[in-house]
């Protein structure tokens, strides 16, 4: 049996790597991290484990859906997200407006705020972000969390946000000016998107909504999601290349192997705990990991490899036994 302090150390060591992994490639602002004493951090990790393997808390979605290369494209997106001014839109100062005239005034503010934006441009002058939660989530809470997300992540930029609650999944569209007030340009990468997901989930939990931003590797997911531009191109008949339905490659394999290693260490630690609640959590976590698409696919491939090996073994013809006579007589030497 493991002591409480020893187990807490294991949970913090491997749980932080599993739920709060750092990015070693892209230089970006730090992701939300654990804080407090070892016991407090271990308690947070236990909550993440329960949310992932027992409660199956909804996963937040944060997407960059495109960006405007010039004011013409930016204004078109303004019209789309506000339904041509019929929906209320809110800017980075917290001012809410609606109507075509207000939309036109917003566009003129963006055109001249900072570097002048031409009607068409060779570079992205704005990024379109969508924050979404599954059906049944309170739309106003999603809006509040999105507002806090923007204040935390986009505070140096001009942005406008609109709530869409008329579709199945409540979501917020945010259009953000690429150039910040100090002249630095926004250029979101993979690490930034994951940080944005974690920030959005954190703000939702602050409003009492169960939400997680767990990475695909942690959840054992192998589905290769289509980016928005491919979905649009496919709908318009412009897609000319196919995309594998499942993720693969060396980087994917490394991520999955690391996640499995972290889960294994956490499950081993929990299973040796003096607490019956921890041991029960270990059973739930083990069942969850075994049921993930990655684990199922791994075991399928392992069975296929074993079957192929058996068939190759059967296909090898049996070699005749060679008998050599070393001397005359009935005695044979093999």
């Amino acid at each position: 049996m493991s002591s409480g302090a020893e187990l807490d150390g294991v949970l913090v060591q491997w749980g932080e790597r599993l739920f709060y992994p750092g990015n070693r490639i892209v230089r970006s602002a730090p992701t939300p991290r654990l804080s407090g004493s070892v016991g407090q951090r271990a308690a947070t990790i236990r909550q993440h484990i329960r949310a992932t393997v027992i409660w199956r808390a909804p996963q937040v979605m944060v997407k960059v859906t495109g960006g405007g290369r010039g004011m013409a494209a930016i204004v078109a997106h303004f019209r789309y997200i506000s339904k041509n001014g019929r929906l209320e839109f809110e800017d980075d100062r917290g001012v809410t407006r609606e109507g075509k005239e207000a939309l036109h005034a917003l566009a003129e503010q963006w055109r001249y705020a900072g570097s002048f934006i031409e009607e068409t441009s060779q570079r992205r002058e704005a990024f379109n972000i969508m924050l979404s939660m599954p059906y049944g989530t309170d739309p106003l809470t999603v809006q509040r969390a999105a507002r806090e997300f923007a204040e935390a992540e986009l505070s140096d930029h001009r942005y406008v946000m609109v709530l869409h609650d008329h579709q199945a999944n409540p979501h917020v569209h945010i259009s953000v000016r690429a150039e910040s007030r100090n002249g630095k340009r926004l250029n979101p990468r993979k690490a930034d998107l994951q940080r944005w997901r974690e920030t959005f989930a954190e703000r939702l939990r602050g409003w009492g909504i169960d939400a997680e931003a767990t990475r695909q590797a942690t959840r054992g997911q192998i589905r290769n999601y289509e980016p928005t531009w491919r979905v649009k191109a496919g709908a318009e008949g412009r897609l000319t290349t196919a995309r594998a339905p499942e993720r693969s490659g060396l980087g994917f394999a490394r991520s999955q192997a690391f996640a499995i290693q972290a889960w294994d260490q956490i499950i081993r630690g929990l299973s040796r705990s003096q607490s019956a609640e921890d041991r029960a959590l270990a059973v739930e976590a083990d069942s969850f990991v075994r049921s993930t698409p990655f684990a199922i696919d791994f075991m399928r491939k392992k069975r296929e490899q074993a079957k192929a090996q058996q068939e190759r073994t059967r296909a090898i013809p049996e070699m005749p036994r060679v008998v050599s006579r070393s001397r005359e007589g009935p005695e044979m030497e093999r």
Side-chain angles (χ1 to χ4, degrees):
M1 292 289 179
S2 300
S3 66
E6 181 183 353
L7 174 57
D8 285 352
V10 170
L11 291 179
V12 170
Q13 178 185 357
W14 291 99
E16 185 166 62
R17 297 179 188 181
L18 189 64
F19 295 102
Y20 299 89
N23 189 289
R24 297 183 177 87
I25 300 174
V26 180
R27 290 183 178 275
S28 63
T31 57
R33 309 297 293 179
L34 289 173
S35 61
S37 66
V38 173
Q40 291 171 329
R41 289 150 68 192
T44 300
I45 292 298
R46 284 184 175 88
Q47 286 295 101
H48 279 301
I49 295 171
R50 292 188 186 97
T52 302
V53 309
I54 300 177
W55 306 328
R56 307 294 172 98
Q59 295 290 322
V60 301
M61 188 188 77
V62 177
K63 272 186 178 181
V64 175
T65 60
R69 296 181 183 272
M71 280 308 304
I74 293 173
V75 171
H77 190 67
F78 284 173
R79 291 186 185 128
Y80 164 70
I81 63 177
S82 69
K83 303 303 177 187
N84 207 20
R86 293 193 300 274
L87 296 181
E88 188 178 75
F89 52 91
E90 179 179 331
D91 65 19
D92 51 283
R93 299 168 300 172
V95 177
T96 57
R97 291 174 285 178
E98 59 184 311
K100 292 182 180 180
E101 291 185 5
L103 208 58
H104 175 74
L106 175 69
E108 291 305 297
Q109 288 174 3
W110 276 44
R111 187 191 302 274
Y112 295 101
S115 299
F116 180 78
I117 301 178
E118 302 281 355
E119 278 298 290
T120 59
S121 174
Q122 294 299 314
R123 63 181 184 179
R124 286 191 179 184
E125 301 292 357
F127 285 90
N128 306 327
I129 306 168
M130 184 171 70
L131 290 75
S132 177
M133 279 294 283
Y135 173 79
T137 311
D138 177 45
L140 292 179
T141 304
V142 173
Q143 184 183 42
R144 294 187 193 104
R147 183 182 296 118
E148 293 180 354
F149 159 85
E151 290 170 353
E153 296 289 348
L154 308 171
S155 59
D156 291 336
H157 296 259
R158 285 186 176 272
Y159 59 82
V160 61
M161 53 184 284
V162 180
L163 169 67
H164 281 197
D165 59 358
H166 55 282
Q167 294 169 303
N169 297 346
H171 56 276
V172 172
H173 289 279
I174 301 178
S175 185
V176 55
R177 202 178 195 273
E179 185 184 71
S180 71
R181 292 181 176 87
N182 57 22
K184 186 178 179 180
R185 295 187 66 82
L186 187 66
N187 186 24
R189 302 300 181 91
K190 186 176 181 180
D192 298 304
L193 288 173
Q194 179 58 29
R195 188 186 74 250
W196 289 356
R197 292 184 69 234
E198 292 171 2
T199 299
F200 183 42
E202 194 176 68
R203 296 305 189 268
L204 282 165
R205 290 195 293 269
W207 287 99
I209 299 294
D210 285 335
E212 288 290 315
T214 313
R215 297 176 184 233
Q216 278 191 301
T218 301
R219 291 179 281 124
Q221 296 295 315
I222 60 176
R223 181 179 171 185
N224 205 6
Y225 290 93
E226 292 276 23
T228 304
W229 71 266
R230 287 184 63 89
V231 174
K232 290 181 179 178
E236 296 169 3
R238 296 184 288 106
L239 199 59
T240 58
T241 58
R243 181 181 170 96
E246 296 179 355
R247 300 180 67 188
S248 60
L250 185 58
F252 169 74
R254 285 174 179 165
S255 297
Q256 290 288 1
F258 179 82
I260 292 296
Q261 180 189 19
W263 274 119
D264 181 62
Q265 293 294 329
I266 288 171
I267 291 168
R268 286 174 183 270
L270 290 170
S271 65
R272 293 195 295 264
S273 172
Q274 298 173 352
S275 165
E277 187 177 354
D278 280 342
R279 295 196 299 273
L281 185 57
V283 173
E284 293 283 359
D286 183 67
S287 176
F288 168 80
V289 173
R290 291 176 185 275
S291 68
T292 60
F294 175 77
I296 294 170
D297 186 63
F298 176 80
M299 294 306 297
R300 177 183 62 80
K301 290 177 180 176
K302 196 171 181 180
R303 287 193 298 270
E304 290 175 353
Q305 291 172 357
K307 184 178 179 181
Q309 181 61 38
Q310 289 177 351
E311 291 175 352
R312 284 194 296 269
T313 303
R314 292 195 195 101
I316 299 175
E318 186 176 348
M319 299 297 292
R321 301 174 71 183
V322 179
V323 179
S324 62
R325 184 185 294 274
S326 61
R327 59 181 180 272
E328 295 183 0
E331 295 293 330
M332 296 289 183
E333 186 178 277
R334 300 185 180 183

